[in-house]
């Protein structure tokens, strides 16, 4: 290990969180592929002191945990955590037919079976509470129960006459506190419950009053990963850091950070490396008194696309007092022992490109836009503005520079493929080529938004097509290296990305 470590860990709970949409357990061959990766990844976690694994359920999933991994997790001293976006499960959707009053009122003034529940309805709260208690009875190994709402922006909480007086944060806390209070009287008395600070609840409000066995899970997904969380020069992150400080006060320090250093969806499937940001982030979190942090992963794809980030994160949970540049070279040496100098240079190029691509925060595949297109040019267009202080031309220049830097990484891999090739080089080269084409397409997309007349629509459509076609490079990567997310999930997620890009650009036809 490069750099200095401390005798006592900086973070006592260091959890990797696997996004469950990648498991593909309905297809035996796909599930087996994922398990093969996990049976290698879990010992890797244990060797680096990662001591918890969170199985975060999403609405697409029919399973709440992976029983097949429990023996290996226990053998390696890694705790299991369950839950995730489960409020829609704890409030069964079929109850809408008989009890619509259990469900939230939407913006249209009507109750609907989507979203979460009506927290002002005592019977609805009781149903959710009893479901959580039963879940803990069936899964006593759960070390932390994650009770999260629907994974959406604005609209999952209730707007009935009573609930409309309560913010989403207070509605959510009413549910979490009810579950937490019930657990103190049952077999799961020692199991804490997590309140997710995310999307609608990322900013704390007064009078939350969490119970002592409730901790917050702070998930700043839309933050900027081009700057450290405590970088005052950033236009995005100061707001997030302030929200974390306030949550620490409200919860008397009982909190966890949920980070996205290996989030394939957030980063558009592109390979990125942000070692200096991760080290500085963890220094800032440690200075605030945070002792628990996790990192979202997407199975084998995250190992392929974010090896530097995963290794640096694991080391920094022990102590963030080390040189991230040296760690980057270490990763290259371990991953590519026959061509370490070339791949170290490639990773450094990737880190430089990442700083340009990720500036401003948010999903890579949802680039912020300014548009000069008049109404006569087509359908009305509504786009979020660029980050404060930025400009359309500045963003395009950054993306073009990132494209050129990714060319450097690809060139390094090309040299190696022709000589001392190893198992990862061709796959990483394909991933960087995918990133190069996506970034170039996004630059065209942003640039086209400032045009008027026929050029606006034609160039916007061409840019979207180029972004979508770049996935052919991921398709060429060997199946075991890209895993189930790279083989299957990226395909349907890609369709969502392309649809959103067209919609944000005036509903361009596919």
């Amino acid at each position: 290990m490069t750099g200095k470590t401390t005798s006592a860990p900086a973070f006592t709970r260091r959890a990797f969180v696997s996004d469950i949409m990648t498991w593909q357990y309905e297809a035996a061959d796909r599930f087996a592929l994922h398990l093969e990766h996990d049976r290698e990844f879990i010992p890797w976690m244990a060797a680096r002191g990662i001591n918890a694994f969170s199985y975060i359920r999403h609405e697409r999933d029919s399973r709440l945990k992976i029983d097949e991994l429990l023996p290996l997790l226990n053998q390696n001293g890694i705790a299991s955590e369950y839950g995730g976006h489960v409020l829609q499960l704890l409030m069964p959707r079929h109850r809408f037919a008989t009890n619509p009053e259990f469900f939230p009122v939407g913006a249209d003034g009507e109750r609907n079976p989507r979203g979460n529940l009506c927290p002002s309805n005592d019977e609805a709260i009781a149903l959710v509470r009893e479901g959580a208690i039963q879940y803990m009875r069936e899964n006593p190994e759960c070390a932390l129960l994650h009770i999260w709402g629907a994974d959406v922006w604005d609209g999952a909480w209730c707007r009935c006459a009573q609930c409309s007086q309560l913010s989403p944060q207070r509605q959510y806390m009413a549910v979490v506190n009810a579950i937490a209070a019930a657990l103190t009287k049952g077999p799961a008395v020692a199991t804490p419950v997590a309140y997710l600070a995310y999307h609608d609840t990322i900013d704390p409000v007064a009078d939350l009053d969490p119970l002592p066995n409730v901790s917050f899970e702070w998930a700043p997904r839309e933050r900027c990963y081009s700057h450290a969380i405590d970088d005052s020069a950033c236009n995005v992150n100061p707001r997030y850091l302030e929200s974390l400080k306030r949550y620490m006060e409200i919860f008397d320090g009982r909190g966890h950070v949920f980070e996205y250093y290996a989030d394939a969806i957030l980063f558009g499937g592109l390979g990125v490396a942000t070692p200096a940001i991760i080290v500085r982030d963890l220094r800032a979190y440690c200075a605030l008194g945070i002792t628990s942090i996790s990192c979202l992963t997407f199975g084998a794809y995250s190992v392929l696309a974010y090896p530097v980030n995963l290794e640096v994160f694991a080391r920094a949970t022990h102590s963030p007092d080390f040189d991230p540049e040296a760690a980057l070279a270490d990763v290259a040496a371990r991953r590519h022992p026959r061509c370490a100098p070339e791949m170290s240079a490639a990773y450094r190029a990737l880190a430089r490109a990442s700083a340009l691509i990720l500036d401003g925060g948010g999903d890579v595949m949802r680039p912020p836009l300014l548009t000069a297109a008049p109404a006569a040019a087509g359908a009305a267009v509504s786009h979020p503005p660029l980050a404060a202080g930025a400009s359309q031309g500045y963003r395009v220049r950054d993306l073009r520079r990132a494209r050129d830097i990714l060319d450097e990484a690809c060139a390094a891999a090309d040299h190696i493929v022709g000589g001392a090739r190893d198992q990862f080089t061709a796959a990483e080269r394909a991933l960087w080529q995918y990133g190069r084409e996506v970034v170039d397409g996004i630059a065209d997309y942003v640039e086209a938004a400032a045009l008027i007349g026929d050029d606006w629509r034609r160039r916007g459509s061409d840019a979207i097509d180029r972004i979508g076609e770049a996935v052919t490079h991921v398709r060429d990567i060997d199946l075991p290296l890209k895993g189930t997310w790279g083989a299957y999930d990226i395909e349907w997620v890609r369709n969502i990305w392309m649809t959103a890009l067209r919609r944000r650009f005036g509903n361009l036809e596919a």
Side-chain angles (χ1 to χ4, degrees):
M1 179 180 292
T2 299
K4 184 171 143 185
T5 60
T6 58
S7 58
F11 297 88
T12 56
R13 170 184 169 271
R14 301 180 292 277
F16 272 86
V17 182
S18 178
D19 188 293
I20 36 41
M21 70 177 66
T22 71
W23 289 84
Q24 302 280 337
Y25 30 65
E26 292 83 2
D29 57 335
R30 298 181 184 185
F31 186 45
L33 175 65
H34 204 304
L35 288 178
E36 182 179 355
H37 160 77
D38 295 312
R39 288 173 178 140
E40 296 178 357
F41 190 58
I42 289 172
W44 181 94
M45 292 168 57
R48 286 153 180 79
I50 303 298
N51 55 13
F53 184 90
S54 299
Y55 179 90
I56 301 302
R57 180 192 180 272
H58 210 274
E59 63 179 343
R60 295 176 60 89
D61 295 283
S62 57
R63 290 178 60 167
L64 291 165
K65 66 178 182 180
I66 304 298
D67 292 292
E68 292 85 346
L69 293 180
L70 278 177
L72 187 58
L73 290 168
N74 292 336
Q75 176 185 333
N76 284 277
I78 297 175
S80 296
E81 300 175 5
Y82 304 140
H85 300 283
V86 295
L87 271 185
Q88 292 177 309
L89 177 70
L90 297 177
M91 172 52 67
R93 301 296 103 176
H94 69 82
R95 292 295 294 264
F96 185 75
T98 55
N99 299 98
E101 69 277 10
F102 291 178
F103 292 81
V105 171
D108 60 0
E110 301 293 330
R111 293 195 184 272
N112 65 80
R114 300 178 299 279
N116 297 313
L117 72 156
C118 178
S120 297
N121 187 295
D122 291 340
E123 291 183 69
I125 289 286
L127 182 62
V128 168
R129 182 181 63 231
E130 291 307 311
I133 293 172
Q134 181 61 30
Y135 180 64
M136 288 303 301
R137 289 196 188 103
E138 295 170 356
N139 302 280
E141 73 275 13
C142 178
L144 174 64
L145 179 59
H146 302 259
I147 300 293
W148 301 353
D151 191 6
V152 299
W153 277 99
D154 188 26
W157 292 101
C158 186
R159 308 186 190 199
C160 73
Q162 288 177 281
C163 289
S164 62
Q165 307 302 311
L166 302 173
S167 64
Q169 294 92 328
R170 292 182 66 192
Q171 291 188 46
Y172 179 31
M173 183 57 75
V175 178
V176 172
N177 270 347
I179 292 171
L183 291 183
T184 62
K185 303 171 185 176
V189 62
T191 304
V193 181
Y195 164 106
L196 182 65
Y198 170 77
H199 284 353
D200 291 353
T201 61
I202 190 67
D203 293 309
V205 297
D207 302 322
L208 280 181
D209 298 325
L211 292 179
N213 59 332
V214 175
S215 58
F216 69 85
E217 190 98 11
W218 184 76
R221 190 173 185 273
E222 283 69 40
R223 60 160 287 192
C224 172
Y225 285 96
S226 181
H227 299 87
I229 196 66
D230 65 344
D231 190 340
S232 60
C234 181
N235 294 311
V236 177
N237 289 346
R239 168 242 175 152
Y240 284 95
L241 184 61
E242 182 59 28
S243 82
L244 175 58
K245 291 177 179 178
R246 289 167 60 201
Y247 268 118
M248 286 288 284
E249 293 173 358
I250 292 170
F251 282 75
D252 294 327
R254 302 187 309 276
H256 322 282
V257 167
F258 185 110
E259 268 293 359
Y260 295 88
Y261 302 126
D263 184 344
I265 292 181
L266 177 66
F267 298 143
L270 278 64
V272 304
T274 59
I277 301 302
I278 294 171
V279 168
R280 182 165 166 182
D281 279 353
L282 268 66
R283 287 173 183 162
Y285 293 146
C286 196
L288 287 176
I290 295 290
T291 59
S292 174
I293 186 166
S294 58
C295 177
L296 180 67
T297 63
F298 284 69
Y301 195 88
S302 286
V303 173
L304 171 66
Y306 316 110
V308 172
N309 285 8
L310 290 178
E311 184 68 35
V312 169
F313 171 80
R315 294 186 184 192
T317 61
H318 288 275
S319 170
D321 185 17
F322 66 90
D323 178 9
E325 184 73 12
L328 186 150
D330 270 1
V331 173
R334 291 187 182 188
R335 193 173 175 88
H336 303 278
R338 297 177 61 192
C339 49
E342 295 87 350
M343 292 308 291
S344 180
Y347 286 156
R348 284 194 296 271
L350 184 62
R352 285 165 33 227
S354 300
L356 298 168
I357 295 167
L358 304 179
D359 193 13
D363 293 69
V364 167
M365 292 295 189
R366 286 184 59 85
L369 301 173
L370 291 173
T371 178
V381 182
S382 177
H383 303 305
L386 288 167
S391 70
Q392 196 103 336
Y394 177 81
R395 186 64 184 140
V396 169
R397 286 193 297 273
D398 271 359
L399 293 173
R400 302 289 191 211
R401 288 172 58 204
R403 174 204 61 193
D404 294 342
I405 295 169
L406 287 172
D407 277 340
E408 296 177 25
C410 289
D414 282 338
H415 173 73
I416 297 165
V417 168
R421 179 177 179 174
D422 61 59
Q423 62 175 328
F424 292 113
T425 304
E428 287 181 298
R429 199 269 182 206
L431 194 62
W432 298 336
Q433 183 63 27
Y434 164 73
R436 183 211 176 281
E437 293 182 13
V438 167
V439 167
D440 203 32
I442 291 174
D444 287 344
Y445 179 84
V446 174
E447 196 169 51
L451 302 176
I452 60 174
D454 291 340
D455 279 351
W456 167 74
R457 182 171 294 276
R458 176 182 57 79
R459 289 188 57 182
S461 182
D462 288 348
I464 294 168
D465 289 343
R466 289 184 58 210
I467 294 168
E469 290 164 1
V471 78
T472 56
H473 296 287
V474 179
R475 290 172 182 160
D476 290 340
I477 298 173
D478 290 344
L479 181 58
L481 294 181
K482 65 184 175 184
T484 55
W485 196 88
Y488 311 111
D489 290 293
I490 195 174
E491 298 293 341
W492 65 263
V493 174
R494 168 183 170 272
N495 292 335
I496 294 175
W497 287 334
M498 296 305 101
T499 298
L501 287 170
R502 290 188 174 92
R503 183 181 301 120
R504 296 175 70 236
F505 210 84
N507 292 316
L508 294 174
E509 292 296 328

